[in-house]
C-alpha cells in the first residue's frame, strides 16, 4: 500500500522541487500566522513554521498520511527579512544584502500522526554590489514581491549571486537531499528509490 504524501504549501517552487525528486503527492496550503515570536531566533522561527504548516494539514487526515511542511527565511545579521510590500521595502532589503554575505535558513518538517521530525539547512549566499537602479528594475519584473528577502535565486536575481556555500535547492525553498532522507524515515520513497 502506498503512503499518501501531502505538501503543506502552495509554493510552485517547492512543488517543482518535490516533483523533481520523483514523489507523488498532493498540495494543500496551510494557513498559519507567520509572525516572529519574541526572543525567537531564525532557526527556531523557520522550524516552528514548518512544523505548524505540516500539523495544520495532518490534523485533517488519519495517521496513514504523511505531511511535509517547509519554511525559508533570508537572514542578515540578526534580521529575518520578509517579503517586500513595496518598492521602498525592496530597495531597503536588497541594499542591505548588496555586496554582503547573508544566510538562507530552510526548515523541513514531516508529520505523521503523533510523530514529528524537523531539520534545518543553512546556506550562505554572497551578493554582488547592487545599484538602486538595478533593484528598482528588478522590482518591476514582479519577481521579488512574494519572495522572502526580496529575491528568487532561481529567477532573474540569480545574476546577483556571486557564490553560495551550502544547498542551492534549500535557497529555492526545499533542500533535495535532506527532504528525501527525511521522507525515507517515514517510509515514503520517490519513484526512483522504491524497491
Amino acid at each position: 500500500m502506498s503512503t499518501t504524501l501531502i505538501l503543506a504549501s502552495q509554493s510552485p517552487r517547492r512543488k517543482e522541487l518535490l516533483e523533481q525528486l520523483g514523489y507523488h503527492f498532493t498540495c494543500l496550503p496551510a494557513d498559519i500566522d507567520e509572525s516572529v515570536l519574541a526572543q525567537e531566533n531564525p532557526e527556531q522561527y523557520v522550524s516552528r513554521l514548518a512544523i505548524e504548516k505540516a500539523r495544520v494539514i495532518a490534523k485533517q487526515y488519519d495517521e496513514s498520511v504523511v505531511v511535509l511542511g517547509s519554511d525559508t527565511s533570508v537572514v542578515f545579521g540578526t534580521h529575518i527579512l520578509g517579503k517586500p510590500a513595496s518598492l521602498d521595502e525592496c530597495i531597503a532589503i536588497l541594499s542591505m544584502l548588496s555586496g554582503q554575505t547573508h544566510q538562507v535558513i530552510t526548515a523541513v518538517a514531516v508529520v505523521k500522526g503523533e510523530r514529528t521530525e524537523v531539520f534545518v539547512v543553512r546556506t550562505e549566499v554572497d551578493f554582488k554590489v547592487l545599484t538602486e537602479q538595478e533593484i528598482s528594475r528588478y522590482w518591476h519584473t514582479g519577481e521579488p514581491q512574494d519572495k522572502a528577502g526580496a529575491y528568487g535565486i532561481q529567477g532573474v536575481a540569480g545574476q546577483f549571486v556571486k557564490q553560495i556555500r551550502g544547498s542551492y535547492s534549500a535557497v529555492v525553498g526545499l533542500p533535495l537531499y535532506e527532504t528525501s532522507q527525511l521522507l525515507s524515515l517515514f517510509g515514503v520513497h520517490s519513484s526512483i528509490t522504491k524497491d
Side-chain angles (χ1 to χ4, degrees):
M1 185 185 95
S2 66
T3 307
T4 301
L5 174 63
I6 297 173
L7 174 62
S9 176
Q10 57 187 2
S11 160
R13 296 165 293 282
R14 289 198 177 105
K15 181 175 183 283
E16 282 169 18
L17 287 165
L18 200 54
E19 284 171 346
Q20 186 180 320
L21 289 175
Y23 288 98
H24 300 287
F25 60 95
T26 318
C27 285
L28 283 176
D31 186 22
I32 63 165
D33 179 0
E34 298 194 10
S35 306
V36 182
L37 302 179
Q39 310 303 312
E40 195 170 38
N41 70 37
E43 290 200 0
Q44 292 166 333
Y45 172 68
V46 293
S47 296
R48 177 175 61 82
L49 262 53
I51 291 167
E52 282 184 16
K53 288 174 183 178
R55 284 185 177 157
V56 161
I57 301 299
K59 282 178 186 164
Q60 302 170 34
Y61 294 89
D62 67 35
E63 297 195 359
S64 68
V65 173
V66 174
V67 183
L68 175 71
S70 184
D71 193 75
T72 300
S73 281
V74 175
V75 179
F76 184 69
T78 56
H79 302 285
I80 297 172
L81 304 176
K83 299 169 183 176
S86 66
L87 172 58
D88 286 345
E89 275 186 30
C90 184
I91 290 170
I93 292 170
L94 291 180
S95 296
M96 196 185 298
L97 302 183
S98 172
Q100 301 290 327
T101 298
H102 64 273
Q103 295 185 321
V104 178
I105 302 174
T106 297
V108 176
V110 176
V111 173
K112 183 179 183 185
E114 295 300 308
R115 183 180 172 196
T116 300
E117 300 282 348
V118 64
F119 66 85
V120 175
V121 176
R122 185 183 284 266
T123 303
E124 290 196 331
V125 181
D126 298 344
F127 257 31
K128 73 170 194 161
V129 175
L130 300 172
T131 66
E132 196 168 307
Q133 288 78 12
E134 281 179 297
I135 296 170
S136 179
R137 284 197 294 268
Y138 178 53
W139 171 261
H140 291 292
T141 68
E143 190 175 278
Q145 280 85 332
D146 69 335
K147 309 282 191 306
Y151 78 94
I153 195 171
Q154 73 284 0
V156 181
Q159 65 192 298
F160 303 160
V161 178
K162 287 167 73 174
Q163 70 173 16
I164 72 165
R165 287 171 297 286
S167 168
Y168 172 82
S169 61
V171 180
V172 179
L174 197 67
L176 298 180
Y177 170 76
E178 292 83 357
T179 298
S180 65
Q181 295 294 303
L182 193 56
L183 286 171
S184 70
L185 293 177
F186 285 78
V188 180
H189 301 284
S190 78
S191 56
I192 60 161
T193 58
K194 271 185 198 161
D195 289 334

